[in-house]
Amino acid sequence: MTGYLELTGLHKRYGESIAVHDVSLAIGKGEAVALLGPSGCGKTTTLRMLAGLVDPDRGTIRVDGADITRLPAHRRNMGYVFQSYALFPHLSVARNIGFGLEERGVARGDITRRVGDALALVHLAGLERRRPRELSGGQQQRVALARALVVHPSVLLLDESLSNLDAKLRDAMRHEIRSIQKSLDITTLFVTHDQVEALTMCDRIAVMHRGRIAQIGTPEDIYERPAARFVAEFVGRANALAATRDGGGIRIWGAAQPMNDPGWPSFDILIRPQRMRLLPSAEPTGDAMRVEGRVLRRAFVGDRVEVLVEGPGGQLTVELPSGGTLPEEGTAIAVAWRPQDNLIFPPDAA
Ligand SMILES: Nc1ncnc2c1ncn2[C@@H]1O[C@H](COP(=O)(O)OP(=O)(O)O)[C@@H](O)[C@H]1O
Ligand SMILES: [Mg+2]
């Protein structure tokens, strides 16, 4: 696949450890892609290589067909929003935003106009004279975003840029950044460890694990059709149930199951908690997958209820909408789900 922003075989080692392992990724013009993975998986290192702040050991970076791998940072025309915002504390909001333009020798009047446009874009008009410490976390975040956008970058890079904000503000900024990104049609790589951010802010997600890309796809692909067990467990929640072969059939928690044998000696089946349902132990379930257990605990989480069920093979969580009647703790219960909701992986695959 060709893209507007293309990384090919990007590799970076620090001493004995490989931070980024042959990462290839193509991002279309105007597309927003999330680089999603746990802390330490190589997201920031990847972003810093794109920005020219870290030299890759090998691999190439292209923007619109041009190889920029060896270009210095200031000639790459990328907007970078750092995790810590990295605003200059002694400079006003306007000077912070205009700094990159001053460095590039843009004329005074043009700077004023472009800083004004950028401030309006992030809804901060009127705060030009403030210092960063006189702003809330959300406003500082907007200044950092305006500073990245004011240079009219060809690519926008955001590193965990919402992680310092409280939950409500994070929600609002998520929508705002996405709508700015769409209105400017700017090619964006958005680094996050937060699956909700990745699922809601981007056209596609690249899930990263130990320096490698484990899967690239639309949010729906990643959630519904995870290509690796790591992806299934990192994005969304999942119950992992050990399955065994028994003659021609499959058993889970000792119970025979209506499913085909994938051919491995043993394997795990992962099921999303909200794809499972509870029913009385005696009630038949037809073609559904099914295990038997006992209600161990119920937790009310507002819009939903989590029911922890314990059975012969361990524990699992069933998630139900709140408001319905629930079985008492200690009740014998059956848990059922549709075979098409099985996510099947060999036991040790990561
Ligand atoms: N400058 C550095 N020197 C040595 N090791 C580093 C350096 N930067 C990152 N690393 C290591 O590389 C790995 C990936 O780090 P990073 O890209 O920051 O991950 P993430 O952003 O996904 O949390 C980590 O193991 C980290 O400790
Ligand atoms: Mg990081």
Side-chain angles (χ1 to χ4, degrees):
M1 179 189 172
T2 58
Y4 181 74
L5 172 62
E6 269 184 30
L7 332 184
T8 313
L10 219 51
H11 198 86
K12 182 69 188 178
R13 168 195 285 271
Y14 289 111
E16 288 303 289
S17 82
I18 297 172
V20 174
H21 200 125
D22 284 332
V23 163
S24 297
L25 183 61
I27 304 181
K29 176 87 185 85
E31 191 183 21
V33 171
L35 201 53
L36 171 68
S39 176
C41 74
K43 306 181 296 295
T44 296
T45 304
T46 303
L47 216 57
R48 292 176 71 85
M49 287 193 282
L50 291 185
L53 304 171
V54 165
D55 280 333
D57 299 331
R58 57 171 190 265
T60 55
I61 303 162
R62 285 171 200 281
V63 176
D64 205 9
D67 187 339
I68 62 156
T69 317
R70 302 289 156 204
L71 270 190
H74 67 274
R75 291 186 49 209
R76 295 193 180 200
N77 200 30
M78 295 200 177
Y80 196 118
V81 181
F82 293 89
Q83 181 164 10
S84 57
Y85 311 151
L87 301 178
F88 299 114
H90 57 288
L91 295 185
S92 67
V93 164
R95 293 273 323 274
N96 261 286
I97 296 173
F99 189 80
L101 299 176
E102 281 179 37
E103 277 203 315
R104 286 165 207 223
V106 175
R108 194 76 250 157
D110 287 341
I111 294 181
T112 307
R113 184 179 47 76
R114 280 169 67 174
V115 167
D117 289 348
L119 276 167
L121 187 67
V122 300
H123 305 297
L124 281 185
L127 299 187
E128 309 41 14
R129 292 172 185 283
R130 297 255 189 109
R131 309 273 157 191
R133 66 167 183 280
E134 297 165 329
L135 301 174
S136 69
Q139 288 170 331
Q140 290 180 37
Q141 163 74 76
R142 286 162 206 261
V143 173
L145 183 62
R147 184 178 59 181
L149 292 171
V150 79
V151 299
H152 300 154
S154 50
V155 173
L156 180 63
L157 306 171
L158 297 136
D159 194 353
E160 308 267 4
S161 43
L162 302 181
S163 58
N164 296 331
L165 306 178
D166 64 58
K168 215 168 180 146
L169 191 55
R170 208 157 51 217
D171 264 2
M173 283 303 287
R174 251 201 329 257
H175 292 294
E176 198 171 321
I177 292 178
R178 176 62 158 159
S179 91
I180 290 172
Q181 182 269 325
K182 279 191 163 172
S183 70
L184 298 178
D185 197 33
I186 185 167
T187 308
T188 300
L189 189 61
F190 185 97
V191 159
T192 182
H193 66 274
D194 182 324
Q195 47 160 311
V196 177
E197 261 167 51
L199 292 166
T200 56
M201 287 182 69
C202 299
D203 301 300
R204 285 188 304 152
I205 297 175
V207 181
M208 208 168 170
H209 181 43
R210 296 187 185 144
R212 298 171 194 265
I213 302 234
Q215 185 175 3
I216 303 173
T218 62
E220 202 185 352
D221 280 337
I222 298 284
Y223 187 83
E224 299 290 354
R225 293 170 287 282
R229 179 170 176 159
F230 171 80
V231 177
E233 296 196 305
F234 190 73
V235 183
R237 296 188 307 150
N239 291 299
L241 305 181
T244 50
R245 295 162 88 183
D246 178 33
I250 298 298
R251 288 184 175 272
I252 301 174
W253 287 14
Q257 302 297 330
M259 67 172 282
N260 295 326
D261 183 351
W264 299 307
S266 70
F267 52 95
D268 282 353
I269 294 183
L270 273 63
I271 310 107
R272 305 290 186 198
Q274 78 279 14
R275 298 283 162 85
M276 299 179 119
R277 62 196 172 91
L278 295 175
L279 66 167
S281 209
E283 202 169 294
T285 35
D287 288 338
M289 307 283 289
R290 175 191 180 118
V291 293
E292 302 282 335
R294 198 167 283 281
V295 177
L296 193 62
R297 247 193 333 270
R298 308 179 309 188
F300 180 69
V301 200
D303 54 351
R304 62 183 199 276
V305 182
E306 293 171 1
V307 181
L308 186 65
V309 174
E310 182 164 55
Q315 296 179 356
L316 60 80
T317 301
V318 181
E319 197 177 291
L320 304 167
S322 53
T325 45
L326 289 173
E328 295 296 325
E329 289 178 5
T331 314
I333 199 99
V335 178
W337 66 96
R338 305 179 310 167
Q340 62 263 44
D341 287 328
N342 287 331
L343 304 170
I344 304 173
F345 300 99
D348 294 316

